[in-house]
């Protein structure tokens, strides 16, 4: 159908429209008939209107404007997408960057590998600042908590993902007790602030030595130190390490003593007792209040040894169990002191004084210790006269050695 009734237009009129009018009509849809576009009833009205009123130049101008407008819209879309992309990246970094830093600090806290970087995490997002502030408070609390209890215990709690509960296990440990000789008298001579300064410097130095020898300080009791080896972390050479620690403490204290004397402070000496034996170690206390500690007869014996130093005028006493453990007798020069029944025990205990590291000892020092060992063997065999002569010979050598050393 042509879209109009044929008898409504004469052939001449149809010809006139087609040849005279249609030549100036532009913008028709491809394949459309001009007469149908002008007169037809089935063509969209807009097509009729635009077809009838645009001439050639105006149509070309309108086409260019349409093209320019289309390019402008496309450029606007591209530019907008680029700007939006940049803004989206910036917004995502405002969230992800500080969160990544917080995650790194959380990992460090879990492993207790804190660095000295005090850089604050700041964000334009209020909730992230609140999260960082809460985490900083938690980190400070955990660090402070680790100063009240052994660090290894805190690490184990972090790794276990469990709450601490009452729990102990039996294990052979080397137990170390030390205290400052005449501390009561020292306190009477100093002001409280001076006592605190001296003790802090002393404890700092001793704690570093204990940590360097893989020991764990359990308690500071006044001026006394209770430390253990082989708990909570297991080590095979715990007896050797505990004695090594005691000797290093004596050397470090000699350095501090010179400094303190130059400052007008009194002489400071320590007495140490070390025992090796099976004890219970773990979380002790009530369900609401716990502490990591050790429990057993071997702990009490180590404490008694420290007190016995006063009787024998010694500085480092160990039990026979410690002396015979591992390579202690090979590494360290020692001499027997006595066989005693300490308070609370019924079985006699052989005590040894650790003189020093065997490879650093002189031949004379080794000879003195050998004679004293021989004298103790003769005494135990009830050969008292031979034992007395041997001890006398050892005493004479020791007097000569001290005289040469002091001279």
């Amino acid at each position: 159908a042509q879209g109009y009734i044929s008898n409504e237009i004469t052939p001449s009129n149809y010809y006139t429209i087609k040849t005279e009018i249609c030549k100036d009509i532009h913008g028709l849809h491809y394949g459309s008939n001009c007469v149908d576009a002008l007169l037809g009833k089935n063509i969209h009205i807009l097509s009729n209107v635009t077809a009838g009123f645009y001439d050639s130049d105006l149509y070309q101008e309108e086409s260019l404007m349409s093209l320019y407008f289309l390019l402008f819209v496309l450029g606007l879309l591209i530019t907008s997408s680029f700007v939006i992309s940049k803004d989206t990246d910036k917004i995502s970094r405002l969230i992800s960057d500080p969160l990544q830093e917080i995650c790194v600090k959380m990992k460090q806290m879990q492993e207790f590998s804190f660095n000295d970087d005090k850089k604050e995490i700041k964000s334009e997002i209020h909730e992230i600042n609140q999260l960082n502030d809460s985490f900083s408070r938690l980190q400070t609390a955990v660090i402070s908590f680790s100063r009240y209890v052994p660090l290894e215990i805190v690490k184990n709690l972090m790794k276990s993902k469990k709450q601490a509960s009452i729990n102990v296990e039996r294990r052979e440990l080397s137990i170390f007790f030390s205290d400052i000789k005449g501390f009561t008298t020292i306190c009477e001579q100093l002001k409280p602030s001076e006592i605190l300064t001296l003790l802090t410097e002393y404890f700092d130095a001793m704690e570093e030595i204990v940590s360097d020898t893989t020991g764990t300080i359990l308690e500071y009791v006044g001026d006394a130190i209770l430390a253990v080896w082989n708990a909570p972390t297991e080590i095979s050479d715990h007896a050797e390490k505990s004695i090594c620690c005691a000797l290093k403490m004596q050397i470090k204290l000699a350095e501090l003593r010179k400094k303190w004397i130059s400052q007008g402070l009194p002489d400071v000496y320590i007495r140490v007792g070390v025992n090796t034996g099976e004890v219970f170690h773990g979380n002790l206390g009530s369900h609401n209040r716990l502490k990591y500690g050790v429990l057993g007869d071997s702990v009490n014996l180590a404490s008694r040894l420290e007190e016995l130093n006063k009787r024998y005028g010694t500085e480092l006493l160990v039990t026979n169990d410690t002396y015979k453990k591992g390579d202690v007798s090979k590494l360290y020069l020692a001499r027997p002191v006595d066989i005693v029944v300490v308070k609370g025990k019924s079985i006699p205990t052989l005590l040894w004084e650790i003189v020093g590291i065997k490879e650093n000892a002189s031949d004379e020092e080794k000879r003195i210790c050998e004679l004293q060992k021989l004298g103790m063997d003769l005494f135990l065999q009830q050969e008292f006269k031979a034992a007395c002569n041997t001890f006398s010979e050892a005493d004479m050598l020791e007097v000569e050695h001290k005289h040469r050393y002091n001279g």
Side-chain angles (χ1 to χ4, degrees), residues 189-335:
Q189 299 173 1
L190 301 178
K191 298 176 182 179
S193 59
E194 293 175 327
I195 295 171
L196 182 60
T197 301
L198 185 145
L199 270 182
T200 301
E201 189 172 5
Y202 164 74
F203 283 141
D204 282 343
M206 301 302 107
E207 188 275 335
E208 183 178 353
I209 295 173
V210 172
S211 297
D212 288 345
T213 55
T214 63
T216 301
I217 292 180
L218 298 186
E219 289 186 68
Y220 295 113
V221 185
D223 62 302
I225 297 175
L226 166 60
V228 296
W229 280 257
N230 202 34
T233 304
E234 292 190 67
I235 56 175
S236 58
D237 56 346
H238 50 88
E240 297 92 319
K241 290 289 182 63
S242 62
I243 295 176
C244 176
C245 174
L247 293 176
K248 286 185 176 181
M249 282 183 170
Q250 298 288 5
I251 295 172
K252 182 63 179 180
L253 186 58
E255 298 175 5
L256 293 174
R257 191 159 48 240
K258 292 179 181 179
K259 173 186 173 183
W260 291 334
I261 291 175
S262 68
Q263 296 173 348
L265 298 174
D267 287 354
V268 176
Y269 294 86
I270 60 173
R271 295 181 290 231
V272 178
V274 178
N275 179 41
T276 301
E278 284 196 345
V279 298
F280 293 104
H281 79 99
N283 298 328
L284 307 170
S286 67
H287 288 89
N288 295 324
R289 183 71 177 270
L290 297 172
K291 63 166 280 188
Y292 180 83
V294 288
L295 185 66
D297 186 57
S298 294
V299 181
N300 300 330
L301 181 54
S303 177
R304 299 286 186 269
L305 288 185
E306 181 273 313
E307 298 171 0
L308 286 172
N309 279 291
K310 186 185 300 184
R311 177 191 297 180
Y312 300 109
T314 54
E315 293 183 342
L316 175 53
L317 287 177
V318 303
T319 60
N320 195 55
D321 290 333
T322 301
Y323 181 71
K324 298 296 183 182
K325 184 69 179 176
D327 293 330
V328 171
S329 61
K330 298 178 182 178
L331 296 174
Y332 301 105
L333 185 64
R335 58 183 178 181

Side-chain angles (χ1 to χ4, degrees), residues 108-173:
Q108 290 175 343
M109 185 176 73
Q110 182 180 349
E111 298 174 354
F112 276 80
S113 58
F114 303 109
N115 55 39
D116 297 329
D117 185 11
K118 302 297 182 182
K119 173 185 166 184
E120 291 187 11
I121 300 175
K122 293 184 178 180
S123 173
E124 298 179 18
I125 301 176
H126 177 66
E127 288 75 8
I128 291 181
N129 288 328
Q130 283 188 316
L131 175 63
N132 180 57
D133 181 66
S134 299
F135 172 74
S136 297
R137 292 173 184 269
L138 173 63
Q139 179 175 276
T140 301
V142 171
I143 294 174
S144 299
F145 175 67
S146 67
R147 293 174 180 169
Y148 284 91
V149 296
L151 182 59
E152 287 299 322
I153 302 302
V154 183
K155 288 183 177 180
N156 290 340
L157 283 174
M158 296 283 284
K159 291 178 182 178
S160 68
K161 301 180 182 179
K162 297 179 182 178
Q163 292 187 5
S165 59
I166 297 175
N167 182 44
V168 295
E169 65 175 89
R170 194 177 188 91
R171 186 185 296 176
E172 184 183 63
L173 309 181

